[in-house]
Structures are given as C-alpha cells and as structure tokens.
Amino acid sequence: MGESRGSIAFFACYRPPVPLDIFCCPAPASSREEERHLTDGVSYNYNCQPIPSAALKSIVKHLDLAPEAVEEAAIDSGRLTGLVFVSERQHHLETLHIGLRFDDGDEVWVFTLGDIYGGDFFSGARLEDSGCIAGGYEVDGHTADHYLVFVSTKEPVQERRSPWNVVYKTNLRTGETERLTPPGTSDLSPSVSPSGKRVAVASFQGKKWDGEVKDLLTNIYVMDLESTYLERERVIENAGWPSWGSETVLFFHKKVGDNWGVFRHDLSTGETLRVTPEAFDAVTPAAIDESRVAVATIRQKSVFTDVRVEAQYRHIEVFDMGLPEEPLQITRCTKPKGDHYNPFVMDGGKYIGYHRCKSDHLEHGDDVPRRFDKLQSHHEDIGLFRVAGAFPAFSKDGSKLAFVDNEFKAVWLADSDGMRVVFETDGPDGVFSPVWNQKKDILYVCMGPSFKANEILEIYAIPHVSSGARERRLLTKGKFNNAFPSTNSDGTKLVFRSTRNGGDKKYKNLYMMDAEIGEDGGEAERITEGDWIDTHCQWSPDRDWIVFSSNRDKPADAPERDHGMDPGYFAVYLMNAIDRSVVRVIRSGYDFSGHVNHPVFSPDGRSIVVTADLAAVSADPMSLPLLLHSQRPYGDIFTVDIDPDDMEKNQDVEEFARVTHSRYENATPDWTVFSTHDPHAQWNLLVMEEEYTPACPYAHHDGGESWHMTGQMCIPKRVC
C-alpha cells in the first residue's frame, strides 16, 4: 500500500545521543588501553552475552559461509567466538543479532536472527532483548540441543496497560521457537543456569503492572528449560534481573529503602544475603560464580544539574562475598567519567563486558551526528521515523518540518531551502512545542520553562517563519502557564491550554483566541471548565473537532500523584468546537489509570496517533540511562481509528494498534501527508541524506560524559 496514509514522526527519550556499544576489559583493569571493543561499531549495540562454543557451532551451520571461514577448529581454539546482543541496525528496531568475532584482526561479522533462522518468527515490528544460551547438557547418553532464550514483544496483548514481553526459546539446531512464558502474563530479564537446564525470569505472573516507574516489583520465577507453564516456581519476591551463580544460587537486584542493592539467594536453604553495601546503588548483577558477581554501581547520587564527579557515574565493579570491602574496579581505570551498563561475564570471569556510549570518539566541542531514522512500521500504509529533536511538527501541506533541539533552546526548520534555526532563546529549557498555522506561514511556540505549572509560559507567533526573519509576536497575556496551541483549518482561531482560572492547584482548561493577534483582539474564550487538567490540544485538519488529553475522569478516591509525580489518569477526548460536546475516545487502564497523551489527527482525519502506556513497560528501567527530566521509562506510539463523520460513535474505542516497540520512551508524535520516501517531501530528501549536528557539550576534554549537559531532555507523558 506504499505508505498511502503518510508518515508518523516521533521523538525518543532515554535514548543517548551518542551510540551505545559493547566493550570488555580484564578483571581488574589497570589502564584505558586494556579495554577491547567487541562489535563492528555499526549502530547502537548493547545487552550482550557470550555464546558457548558448542552452541556457536549449531548457529554457524545455518549460515551460508565458506567452510574455511568458520572451521570448528577455530571455534574450539577460541580464534572464532560468538556474541548475542541487541542492535538497532535493522530497520532501527531493537532486535537481537549474532556477532562472529575473529581474533585475527578483530574482525566482526554480524547477522540478524532472521538471517540465520528465517523470517517466520524473526520479522515485523517488535522488540527483542536479553538473549542467552541454554541447553547443551547430557541427558540419557546424548547431548541436548542448545537454545537461544530471549524476550520478544512480537505477540500482541489486548489487555490494557499490560507488558507484551514474553520469553521464548529457539532451538539453535532446528530453528523452532517455543514460548516459555505462561499465557496471560509477561516476563523480563531471563537468565540461564550454568548447566543450561534452568531459566530464571523477573515476572509479572500473578500481579498487574500498576505504573511503577523504576521499581517494577516483579517476582523471580525459576523453571526447567523443558518444563511446562505450570511447573514454574516463585523463589524471590519484589526483585529483578536474576543471574545464576550456580545451580542453587541466584543473584538479583532489589530496592530497599532509598537505595538499590544486589543480593544473593540460596535456593537450597532459602537464605538471602545482601552483597553490596547499603550506602550506594548497585544494579544489574552478572554472576561469575557462587561468591563473585559483577554489578553496576552509582556510589554517589546525582541530580544531573552540575558536572558530575567520578563517583556519580555508573561503573562496573566485581564484589566477592569473601572480600566485601575490596571490590575489583573494572571501568574506573578505563573511563572514569563515563556511564557503563549491564555487565556480562567472559572467559570465566577473566574479562567483564558491558556497554557504554562511544563518546571517546568525540573531542571537546565536537558535534554529535544526528539522523532522522526510518523505522519499520506496524502499518503497511503508514511510514514511521524518529526525529533527532523534540516535538516534530509538520506544516499542513507536508512541505515543512519544524522541531526543537534537545536542549529546548532553538527551533529548527527543514524545508526545500535546507535545514536551519528559525528561532532561538538565550539558554536551555526556553522553548518547546512548535506548531504550524493550518493556512499560513506562521509557527507558534511556547516560551518559558517546560513542564512546570507554577512558571509563566507564553505563546508566541513567528510570522513569515520560512523567510528567516525571526520575528515574534506575543499572543497570550496575564502571566499564566499557557501551552500547546493549535489552529483551526482556516487558520483564524487558536486553541490552547492555560492555568488561568486554575486556582492554587493550577488546573488547566482549554481556551480559544485569535490566531494572528491573540489576546490583543480580546480576552481568550474559555471552552472547557473544571477542576482537572485539559492539555495537548490539536484541531482537526478539516473539521470543527478538537482532540485533547485530560484527566477529567480521574476517580475521586485516586491518589493526588501517580507514583509521586504527575496526577496521572490521562485519557484522550474529542470536542465539537461549535456546540462544545465532548466524548472520551480512548483511555489506558479500564479504571482510567495511566497515560494517553499528545494526541494528533491523521491528515485524513480517520485516525489519532498518541503516546501511551497501553503496553506498560518493555525493559527493567534500572538497566537504562538515567537522564535529566527522565520520569517514566515506558511509553510507545499507538494509533486509534475513529469515525470521521459522527463524533458520538467514537466513545471509548476499544481497539488500538501499537506502532513502536521500545525500551526508550517514544513521545510527541506528528503525522504528515507525505510518505518517508516521497520525492516531493523536500525536507525528507534533506534529512535522509544529511545529518543534523547541534553543538555537543556532551564530551569532556578528558573523554568523559556529561548527561546533564546534553540537553537530552525526556518528554514524559506527564507533560501537561
């Protein structure tokens, strides 16, 4: 169908601006030179595990390679080794890949699982994660087959606010894939015991995800590789990221009080001991044996508002139960000012692997290359791409694309004249949410600090924006928090949300004013009224309908704050701008809990695209980068089909389609009439061929990282 309905653009939070890649170094390491790069350096690569030699032999038999390239003798001798890891190189999806590493010259060949086992299961829009090898044990006088155990979100889940993560096993000899997770539940972070016989998972079995932000409160279950769904055993409560130290010992991470710690649980005795000190955070354990475990530590907390000291970076350390006060430092010698994630064990603990950003390839003051990445779309008739900046906004005819840089400092424009800054503020966190007048060359922006209801936010118009004149006209008055403007189809009226009349609790309602002179033409007209939050409003491209997000149906007995942050309970509504009637289109939870935000009409008016937590969480949040303003480590892009002619028929639509599958938070979508490959989309031709390269204060002169300086600002669904 060729993207006949145009394309959706979005922005990804949590995703570092510099690519992640996989490295290792000896335990302990003594210098930067000892660090080894393990992949071919293409794309983002992370969450790695080594492949045992016997399992690697099964894999290479499925590859059409010259026999001399993959001789079994080379595998037996260690000259050819294998890795399984997540890479974003195929359609920019987060999927598992197999790497063949040749020690002679450090050459690496990388294959998708579809390359090896075909596309029956390993195809389509999905997320894959946590690959590890099982099987290979002796049974009845013969060696059992090896399996790849992994997580995938391939199977749709209709239950709202339920994770799609399911653990599978793929036979490396036959390619057959079977489900290990019981129906009706979801699992994360599988780990295989040293014998290859048992699998531990962090599971939502018997409980429901309730919007937890960092501590998912999963339970750890253990099963035999060949067992049925009913033979799983819950062994540890409120814990995550299991890792086997032996057939009877599991390490895991868990939050106790204010800090995260790594613990050791003996399955034979039931004894649980804390391994890491209570004074700092330790997460994502990788067991070496029954007494030694590699962990990621953050020894000193940071609020990311100043340059961090070494102790505030995430580093890999090895703790020994026999010497708890003397952990081995793995990464402080190789890259002291850098964050390192999710360790894994190589060669029996002689080497410890991890992933980190490749910021050492940058010099101080260098630019970070940025691309607009085309992703594989769930919809055959809709294109999909990720924008390097926040709040992408298309003009109605699709000829112009505006967005805000990640520091919320400047507004960029891409059109037939190239890519350039058309509006700039004095510092970061000064401008966001650009949107076009539906008829004229006018761009509207919100000026002021973002996501702070007590601060003043003003709406400005930038007339003749394509000319580069950089004029601006203030439209709002009264020193309120005003945001998210949008014009009607003829470009004469502007709807926006404001805290005026919102009282001490800063409730927000929708208002309407003249689209060119704003409140100079008279006080804005209030069009919704209530003690709630109405926000993220957008006018239909061809009707007097306004779509917006609101928590107006939040139950009276619901907590004031959702897990201590925003009020929560956001659903999407349609309003008839003429008679002011309203219908609720889609909610996240059946009890109205959750977040459905940033709704935008499709150009043909037959669908709405949103960012929402309808698929809950897709990865353990503690395994992800923690960035400034990062609030909710979940949220994907979804579409909802509506009746474009009868608004009342759109009450509580049940069906939705998941568009993106990500561990990051995908937010602030927009929808254009053009496909991602349409030659008439001049901005498309430009951004596909060239890179957007904003100045990067990300790199220290000593090769360190400073997340707080990047402006990698998350756009959480709490934005209102």
Side-chain angles (χ1 to χ4, degrees):
M1 301 176 69
E3 301 181 6
S4 59
R5 297 190 65 204
S7 305
I8 294 171
F10 67 93
F11 170 62
C13 312
Y14 271 86
R15 189 174 186 265
V18 176
L20 295 163
D21 215 340
I22 301 165
F23 300 83
C24 76
C25 56
S30 58
S31 69
R32 182 175 299 184
E33 288 69 30
E34 290 185 295
E35 185 182 63
R36 298 176 63 191
H37 183 202
L38 296 182
T39 77
D40 57 1
V42 175
S43 188
Y44 284 61
N45 307 298
Y46 44 87
N47 287 3
C48 182
Q49 290 291 333
I51 300 174
S53 58
L56 186 60
K57 291 177 184 178
S58 296
I59 293 172
V60 299
K61 289 178 181 178
H62 289 268
L63 294 170
D64 186 17
L65 301 174
E68 62 272 13
V70 289
E71 294 176 343
E72 288 197 1
I75 297 176
D76 291 334
S77 68
R79 289 185 290 112
L80 173 60
T81 55
L83 302 169
V84 56
F85 57 92
V86 177
S87 183
E88 298 180 20
R89 67 188 66 204
Q90 186 187 39
H91 308 303
H92 296 285
L93 300 176
E94 301 160 37
T95 55
L96 287 173
H97 289 64
I98 301 295
L100 303 183
R101 181 179 173 82
F102 298 83
D103 274 359
D104 300 336
D106 288 340
E107 186 178 5
V108 181
W109 297 352
V110 179
F111 303 89
T112 70
L113 295 181
D115 293 334
I116 303 170
Y117 295 109
D120 288 346
F121 189 86
F122 301 108
S123 62
R126 69 203 185 281
L127 173 148
E128 294 166 351
D129 200 7
S130 305
C132 47
I133 303 299
Y137 48 84
E138 294 298 319
V139 55
D140 296 332
H142 71 277
T143 302
D145 287 341
H146 286 90
Y147 291 84
L148 174 66
V149 175
F150 64 99
V151 169
S152 176
T153 60
K154 185 177 179 68
E155 292 187 54
V157 175
Q158 294 305 314
E159 182 75 15
R160 281 171 152 77
R161 302 192 85 208
S162 295
W164 290 27
N165 304 65
V166 169
V167 173
Y168 299 89
K169 64 176 183 180
T170 294
N171 187 306
L172 297 182
R173 179 180 61 84
T174 67
E176 180 183 359
T177 297
E178 300 177 64
R179 179 173 175 145
L180 292 177
T181 299
T185 192
S186 58
D187 293 334
L188 296 167
S189 312
S191 176
V192 176
S193 69
S195 70
K197 295 180 179 180
R198 309 180 81 188
V199 179
V201 296
S203 180
F204 288 97
Q205 184 172 346
K207 63 193 309 181
K208 183 175 177 60
W209 180 75
D210 191 34
E212 289 84 5
V213 176
K214 293 182 180 178
D215 188 359
L216 297 182
L217 301 177
T218 51
N219 297 322
I220 293 178
Y221 281 74
V222 170
M223 68 189 106
D224 290 336
L225 182 67
E226 303 296 338
S227 66
T228 67
Y229 298 143
L230 300 178
E231 296 173 308
R232 293 165 39 127
E233 179 186 4
R234 186 175 66 188
V235 295
I236 306 167
E237 293 188 355
N238 297 336
W241 207 269
S243 180
W244 293 88
S246 71
E247 292 302 301
T248 59
V249 170
L250 276 170
F251 292 87
F252 59 92
H253 69 207
K254 178 185 180 77
K255 188 176 183 182
V256 179
D258 293 332
N259 289 335
W260 287 79
V262 169
F263 296 79
R264 178 188 186 272
H265 180 80
D266 191 316
L267 295 172
S268 60
T269 65
E271 181 183 37
T272 299
L273 298 173
R274 185 169 189 141
V275 178
T276 57
E278 298 179 6
F280 55 82
D281 289 318
V283 294
T284 60
I288 300 172
D289 53 36
E290 285 193 345
S291 62
R292 295 181 298 158
V293 60
V295 305
T297 65
I298 306 173
R299 287 183 169 262
Q300 183 177 331
K301 293 185 184 296
S302 172
V303 293
F304 299 93
T305 57
D306 200 355
V307 175
R308 287 185 286 168
V309 299
E310 287 182 19
Q312 292 175 312
Y313 288 90
R314 189 182 300 212
H315 280 291
I316 309 302
E317 305 180 35
V318 173
F319 283 82
D320 189 326
M321 298 288 290
L323 299 168
E325 303 302 321
E326 301 178 21
L328 294 180
Q329 297 298 324
I330 305 300
T331 57
R332 281 202 174 189
C333 293
T334 60
K335 191 174 175 58
K337 290 186 176 180
D339 291 307
H340 305 75
Y341 304 94
N342 307 355
F344 60 95
V345 177
M346 302 176 65
D347 198 10
K350 293 181 181 178
Y351 290 86
I352 302 297
Y354 47 84
H355 61 262
R356 65 168 177 83
C357 287
K358 296 188 290 186
S359 57
D360 50 326
H361 295 177
L362 300 172
E363 297 296 333
H364 183 58
D366 273 0
D367 289 339
V368 177
R370 297 297 189 86
R371 291 189 178 278
F372 290 9
D373 300 322
K374 180 176 179 180
L375 281 73
Q376 183 171 346
S377 175
H378 168 82
H379 299 286
E380 292 183 0
D381 55 351
I382 302 170
L384 180 68
F385 68 99
R386 179 175 52 227
V387 176
F391 290 99
F394 295 102
S395 60
K396 187 173 182 178
D397 66 2
S399 65
K400 304 179 183 71
L401 170 62
F403 59 94
V404 176
D405 72 323
N406 290 344
E407 291 184 289
F408 287 22
K409 180 179 179 180
V411 179
W412 287 70
L413 172 63
D415 61 11
S416 58
D417 292 328
M419 190 180 295
R420 59 207 182 275
V421 173
V422 294
F423 187 82
E424 195 165 12
T425 61
D426 293 334
D429 202 13
V431 62
F432 68 101
S433 191
V435 65
W436 293 91
N437 185 294
Q438 292 204 54
K439 278 291 186 181
K440 301 177 182 180
D441 187 29
I442 301 174
L443 193 67
Y444 304 94
V445 297
C446 306
M447 283 196 64
S450 55
F451 324 139
K452 298 174 183 176
N454 292 323
E455 300 286 344
I456 296 172
L457 265 180
E458 303 286 12
I459 296 173
Y460 281 81
I462 310 174
H464 314 296
V465 63
S466 302
S467 69
R470 300 201 182 190
E471 303 172 26
R472 69 183 188 186
R473 180 185 303 132
L474 177 63
L475 298 184
T476 50
K477 294 183 177 181
K479 306 301 181 183
F480 302 110
N481 190 280
N482 309 293
F484 301 111
S486 177
T487 72
N488 60 353
S489 58
D490 63 12
T492 59
K493 297 178 181 179
L494 192 78
V495 64
F496 65 101
R497 71 104 175 104
S498 178
T499 57
R500 62 188 72 194
N501 306 310
D504 294 339
K505 292 191 175 182
K506 303 299 181 183
Y507 294 119
K508 303 178 180 78
N509 290 149
L510 302 187
Y511 295 79
M512 195 182 299
M513 64 182 174
D514 186 278
E516 291 202 52
I517 60 175
E519 293 192 272
D520 283 341
E523 185 178 353
E525 177 188 4
R526 188 175 187 176
I527 61 174
T528 67
E529 185 172 349
D531 293 342
W532 53 61
I533 295 174
D534 295 333
T535 187
H536 303 155
C537 42
Q538 196 221 24
W539 220 307
S540 167
D542 56 4
R543 287 170 178 77
D544 283 316
W545 291 5
I546 296 170
V547 66
F548 63 100
S549 181
S550 177
N551 68 350
R552 57 177 58 204
D553 288 323
K554 181 176 181 177
D557 59 351
E560 184 174 353
R561 294 283 167 182
D562 183 9
H563 292 276
M565 296 188 302
D566 63 84
Y569 293 83
F570 283 97
V572 164
Y573 299 78
L574 283 173
M575 167 188 279
N576 185 314
I578 303 300
D579 62 21
R580 310 293 163 84
S581 59
V582 174
V583 299
R584 184 180 58 239
V585 179
I586 185 168
R587 58 190 185 269
S588 184
Y590 292 108
D591 61 353
F592 303 103
S593 60
H595 297 75
V596 187
N597 294 88
H598 296 288
V600 173
F601 285 103
S602 61
D604 60 15
R606 295 191 289 115
S607 302
I608 296 170
V609 61
V610 299
T611 182
D613 60 1
L614 287 161
V617 65
S618 294
D620 188 322
M622 296 311 298
S623 68
L624 302 176
L626 300 177
L627 309 182
L628 181 63
H629 296 304
S630 297
Q631 294 291 328
R632 297 189 179 280
Y634 52 82
D636 270 297
I637 306 300
F638 297 82
T639 56
V640 183
D641 291 336
I642 61 172
D643 187 313
D645 300 314
D646 188 343
M647 196 175 79
E648 297 300 323
K649 291 183 179 179
N650 297 311
Q651 178 78 32
D652 288 335
V653 176
E654 289 294 325
E655 294 186 4
F656 57 86
R658 185 175 185 176
V659 178
T660 64
H661 296 244
S662 183
R663 75 199 64 242
Y664 312 119
E665 181 174 6
N666 293 331
T668 65
D670 201 12
W671 201 327
T672 176
V673 294
F674 281 128
S675 72
T676 55
H677 55 261
D678 194 312
H680 297 95
Q682 294 298 317
W683 55 264
N684 183 15
L685 297 176
L686 176 71
V687 298
M688 288 298 181
E689 295 175 356
E690 299 184 16
E691 294 178 344
Y692 155 48
T693 56
C696 177
Y698 178 83
H700 286 290
H701 67 280
D702 59 357
E705 298 165 3
S706 179
W707 285 112
H708 76 281
M709 292 289 287
T710 65
Q712 175 70 11
M713 301 184 69
C714 205
I715 313 299
K717 292 175 296 303
R718 67 176 179 84
V719 173
C720 51

